[in-house]
Amino acid sequence: MADNRPQLGLPSIQAMTSQVEEHRLAVVKPGPRLPPKRTLVPKRKPTTVACNVCRKRKERCNGNRPSCDRCVIRATECSYPHVERDPFRTTPFKKSLEALQVENDQWRELYHMLHRLPEAEARQTFAQVRAVDDPVAVLRFARSSTRYLADPSPSSGPPVAPVNLRINSLDLKALSESRIRVHARPWTAVAGDGLVSELVSSFFTWDDAFLFSFIDREAFLEDMRRGDLKTAKYCSPFLVNAMCASRYFTSDRAKSMSSLGVKDLGTQFFDEAKKLLDLEGGRATLLTVQGLTLLFSICTYLGTDRASMIYRYSACEMLSRLNLEKIFDRIKDDPVKLRHRQVISKALWGLFCYESIVAYMYLELSLIPPPKVPRCFEADERLSSTQPGNVDLFGDPYTAAGTSPPFVPGIQHAVCDLSLFLYRAMRVNDRANVGSDEDLETRRRLHQELVQWRRLLPSYMKFESNLTPQTCFLRVYFDEVLVSVLRPSQPDTIFDNRSSVKDLCMHYADIDTKVVEQYIRTFSLQDYSVMVLCGLYNAVLTVVPYLDDPRTHGVFFRATLMLRWTARDFPMVRFILLGAKALAWTLKAQVPAEALPHLENLGPGKDELKDIPVALALPPTKTVRSFLSGENRGGAPGMELGALLSRWSAMSVE
């Protein structure tokens, strides 16, 4: 039977299936099926503190500063609440920091032990490193070394690790900024590597360059870096502690570290040096002579040189006992002993120059006679046909970008020449015929020789054409020698057919003041040599007897001002300024009004001035001698500064 129902026009199932398949083949390209993409919602960063606006509106705050996103959109002022530090939150961090600090100290201690232990013990300790997982156990094993613990030197025990984190930070910074880096152990237990490196660098930068030129830097540093107390010839714990104590006075970093500790580091270095000196039991060595010289200088800085003159005398006596000139003659042709010859030559000439400068401050002849050995510690650049350039601390060409001040090659020979001139001048001053025609003629010839010597000096050794610390100090020293020749004569004596003794002395005092002014302006007083004080001291005491002449007022004002600046570092300067005031009063000289503030509020009271242990000598004048006492002082070259201050105090001078 036929189907008479109307057709709806729908495709058949087969047709629909065929169309779908054709569409799929036309649209879908063959290839691997990719997974469906998923949209990842980024996690919101947790916010510890919400701003005040979001907290009030109870909205989410992203914590951005200075303004969170919502406040930026609303253009409203965004502020955050002040949150006090929660001790319960910071305590765990502090404990963690302390634990890390202890662990760091233990690692450093282990490193130092491996570096310092004898070969056998070091190998055993290293074997423990490979066999044991716990480093603390290895450290305990290293500590148990009998030879390490039995060493009576300052290296006994572990290296000092500053308990105060600020001290440790300062020490690390000092190490990073030091020109010379050394290990403190086994030479001193007072401070860490950083401060010791800074003080040693400071010594060879400022002191060894002129005043304390009796230590061979290369030989000293080789022994110090080697760290072997038994084989060291040119370095000792006594000398290192004395060296650090002498450089403490101008080290701001050392003073900052002292303020954080229990005891002054300068005092600790000094006490340690004295303790080690006692352990030496009077044994004569060159290192002991050098250390004794530094101890005397330290006491001079403190204003107690009279009480500690024993250090100076002991050093000179021990040097004579060593008979180094005989040792030098015995090895002068031995090529293997070249380093030792240089060390002996530098020590003898350096100690002679130092003692000459010191003896001038006491108006007496040097306790050390001129050496009879050649100067083989550096080449004499004055004999060269070409002008050498300035160098840095290590002898490399100097550049303004460096951290070292400029050094002048060969200038130490000029210092030795001046010391020989000064020795001659002091011998002339010891004669009984001071003031006679013969004496005056001798002084005029010596004065002319000195002037001619400087005229022939190369220009690079003169501060006018080559401003360096050494050339400044050389000019100051030159003027001291000139004044030593002039001062015993009468002020109105005509010396060079034009100028009187008074005119020449005032002229040299003015030059010294200008030299020190230029030095301070160029190199500052942040870290400097005590030679700065020598020029100012000489200038002040030279012009005090002539304060009635207005030409001296400017020199006196500037010199006392700069001395007052150095009083913060060197306590003896207070006594020098007080002595200048007392000397002016004694001579009935009027101190310039503008300079009076430099001589006030210097610290010592009336009771403290009763017995001042300052032995520095003042210029010999009849008025001062008669002021001291009614007894006959004979041919005394001058008077002690401490004696004048004591009498001034006793008479209630204000």
Side-chain angles (χ1 to χ4, degrees), residues 20-155:
V20 171
E21 183 64 19
E22 290 175 358
H23 180 74
R24 186 184 69 82
L25 293 175
V27 176
V28 180
K29 296 181 180 180
R33 183 181 295 272
L34 298 176
K37 294 183 179 181
R38 296 181 180 178
T39 303
L40 299 178
V41 179
K43 294 183 178 179
R44 187 177 63 86
K45 294 181 180 180
T47 303
T48 56
V49 179
C51 71
N52 292 325
V53 176
C54 292
R55 288 163 63 90
K56 185 176 181 180
R57 299 172 67 93
K58 299 184 184 301
E59 295 178 343
R60 291 186 182 275
C61 181
N62 61 0
N64 288 348
R65 305 200 183 209
S67 297
C68 69
D69 290 351
R70 292 186 180 275
C71 290
V72 170
I73 294 173
R74 295 193 186 96
T76 57
E77 182 179 356
C78 185
S79 62
Y80 287 85
H82 176 70
V83 181
E84 297 292 340
R85 183 170 294 178
D86 187 354
F88 294 101
R89 292 185 178 182
T90 58
T91 299
F93 291 104
K94 289 183 179 180
K95 291 182 178 180
S96 177
L97 181 60
E98 292 174 359
L100 290 173
Q101 182 64 40
V102 171
E103 182 180 352
N104 179 62
D105 294 341
Q106 290 174 339
W107 280 110
R108 289 172 60 87
E109 181 182 348
L110 181 59
Y111 171 80
H112 279 277
M113 284 187 172
L114 288 171
H115 188 68
R116 301 287 186 234
L117 281 174
E119 185 69 21
E121 283 80 352
R123 288 183 178 276
Q124 294 176 6
T125 304
F126 183 70
Q128 290 292 317
V129 172
R130 303 190 64 177
V132 180
D133 294 334
D134 185 9
V136 178
V138 179
L139 179 61
R140 286 196 296 266
F141 176 84
R143 287 173 176 172
S144 65
S145 172
T146 55
R147 290 180 63 181
Y148 182 84
L149 295 177
D151 191 349
S153 70
S155 64

Side-chain angles (χ1 to χ4, degrees), residues 579-646:
K581 184 178 181 180
L583 182 61
W585 178 87
T586 305
L587 299 176
K588 295 180 171 52
Q590 185 68 35
V591 174
E594 61 271 17
L596 280 175
H598 308 159
L599 310 179
E600 303 293 341
N601 303 319
L602 290 166
K606 181 178 178 181
D607 293 337
E608 297 178 23
L609 293 175
K610 289 182 179 179
D611 187 20
I612 298 297
V614 181
L616 297 177
L618 298 173
T621 62
K622 295 180 180 179
T623 307
V624 174
R625 291 182 185 178
S626 61
F627 169 75
L628 274 174
S629 63
E631 61 187 32
N632 182 16
R633 292 175 54 83
M639 57 169 292
E640 287 188 358
L641 174 60
L644 174 63
L645 289 176
S646 298

Side-chain angles (χ1 to χ4, degrees), residues 219-287:
F220 174 88
L221 291 178
E222 283 180 10
D223 276 355
M224 189 173 186
R225 285 167 174 158
R226 193 176 294 117
D228 191 341
L229 295 173
K230 296 180 180 179
T231 61
K233 295 181 180 179
Y234 310 115
C235 180
S236 71
F238 168 54
L239 180 57
V240 170
N241 281 275
M243 183 183 294
C244 291
S246 70
R247 288 311 307 167
Y248 173 83
F249 290 86
T250 60
S251 173
D252 290 337
R253 192 167 353 237
K255 294 174 184 177
S256 297
M257 295 174 71
S258 293
S259 65
L260 299 173
V262 178
K263 190 177 181 181
D264 180 85
L265 285 174
T267 303
Q268 291 187 57
F269 280 121
F270 186 69
D271 291 344
E272 181 72 7
K274 291 193 296 182
K275 186 189 306 180
L276 292 167
L277 177 63
D278 293 338
L279 293 176
E280 292 186 2
R283 185 168 59 94
T285 67
L286 177 58
L287 297 173

Side-chain angles (χ1 to χ4, degrees), residues 286-586:
L286 177 58
L287 297 173
T288 306
V289 172
Q290 295 166 336
L292 284 168
T293 304
L294 293 178
L295 288 188
F296 170 72
S297 300
I298 295 167
C299 295
T300 303
Y301 301 163
L302 295 170
T304 59
D305 55 312
R306 183 202 300 161
S308 57
M309 198 67 72
I310 184 63
Y311 293 133
R312 179 188 174 202
Y313 297 148
S314 297
C316 296
E317 185 275 332
M318 189 175 291
L319 181 65
S320 176
R321 203 156 25 109
L322 287 173
N323 202 357
L324 294 179
E325 292 179 349
K326 184 177 180 180
I327 296 176
F328 185 93
D329 289 338
R330 191 167 61 243
I331 65 174
K332 63 181 180 180
D333 298 324
D334 189 347
V336 181
K337 301 291 185 179
L338 175 61
R339 166 59 63 82
H340 198 52
R341 289 200 301 273
Q342 293 175 342
V343 169
I344 292 177
S345 176
K346 186 174 177 66
L348 288 175
W349 279 102
L351 288 167
F352 168 67
C353 293
Y354 167 83
E355 171 59 24
S356 299
I357 296 173
V358 169
Y360 169 83
M361 309 298 286
Y362 299 104
L363 302 180
E364 61 187 25
L365 187 67
S366 168
L367 299 178
I368 299 176
K372 298 178 182 179
V373 301
R375 307 171 195 171
C376 58
F377 40 83
E378 67 173 350
D380 191 348
E381 299 291 347
R382 297 172 301 173
L383 305 177
S384 175
S385 58
T386 59
Q387 176 174 326
N390 294 334
V391 298
D392 64 8
L393 177 61
F394 303 106
D396 298 322
Y398 172 77
T399 60
T403 58
S404 169
F407 292 80
V408 181
I411 202 169
Q412 199 60 43
H413 291 279
V415 180
C416 295
D417 290 346
L418 280 179
S419 298
L420 292 173
F421 275 117
L422 182 58
Y423 193 81
R424 288 172 56 190
M426 288 303 183
R427 293 190 67 174
V428 171
N429 292 343
D430 279 346
R431 297 175 183 174
N433 64 340
V434 175
S436 65
D437 292 341
E438 179 186 358
D439 174 71
L440 182 58
E441 184 61 28
T442 301
R443 295 181 186 278
R444 282 174 174 162
R445 287 199 304 267
L446 187 53
H447 183 269
Q448 290 174 357
E449 283 186 52
L450 280 162
V451 173
Q452 180 66 13
W453 174 85
R454 190 172 192 277
R455 186 178 295 118
L456 297 177
L457 202 64
S459 60
Y460 62 87
M461 289 191 180
K462 298 178 181 179
F463 84 98
E464 299 95 329
S465 53
N466 185 23
L467 186 64
T468 73
Q470 289 174 307
T471 54
C472 289
F473 299 154
L474 188 67
R475 176 67 209 209
V476 167
Y477 191 23
F478 173 73
D479 291 340
E480 285 185 357
V481 181
L482 288 174
V483 170
S484 69
V485 175
L486 294 168
R487 193 156 48 192
S489 302
Q490 292 297 320
D492 57 352
T493 302
I494 302 301
F495 226 76
D496 57 358
N497 298 325
R498 293 175 300 174
S499 305
S500 65
V501 169
K502 172 185 173 181
D503 293 334
L504 290 173
C505 286
M506 290 194 304
H507 174 65
Y508 297 140
D510 182 55
I511 291 177
D512 286 347
T513 305
K514 291 178 179 177
V515 169
V516 177
E517 282 177 335
Q518 286 185 272
Y519 173 92
I520 295 175
R521 192 179 301 115
T522 306
F523 303 105
S524 79
L525 291 177
Q526 185 175 0
D527 195 12
Y528 57 100
S529 169
V530 74
M531 278 298 299
V532 172
L533 274 65
C534 293
L536 299 175
Y537 174 81
N538 192 52
V540 168
L541 295 188
T542 298
V543 302
V544 164
Y546 310 128
L547 284 178
D548 57 335
D549 190 328
R551 292 178 297 171
T552 64
H553 292 182
V555 174
F556 188 80
F557 170 81
R558 302 193 322 268
T560 53
L561 173 63
M562 289 183 285
L563 275 174
R564 188 62 183 259
W565 291 344
T566 65
R568 65 183 179 89
D569 297 321
F570 297 100
M572 71 171 180
V573 175
R574 297 180 301 158
F575 301 120
I576 292 175
L577 291 171
L578 285 172
K581 184 178 181 180
L583 182 61
W585 178 87
T586 305

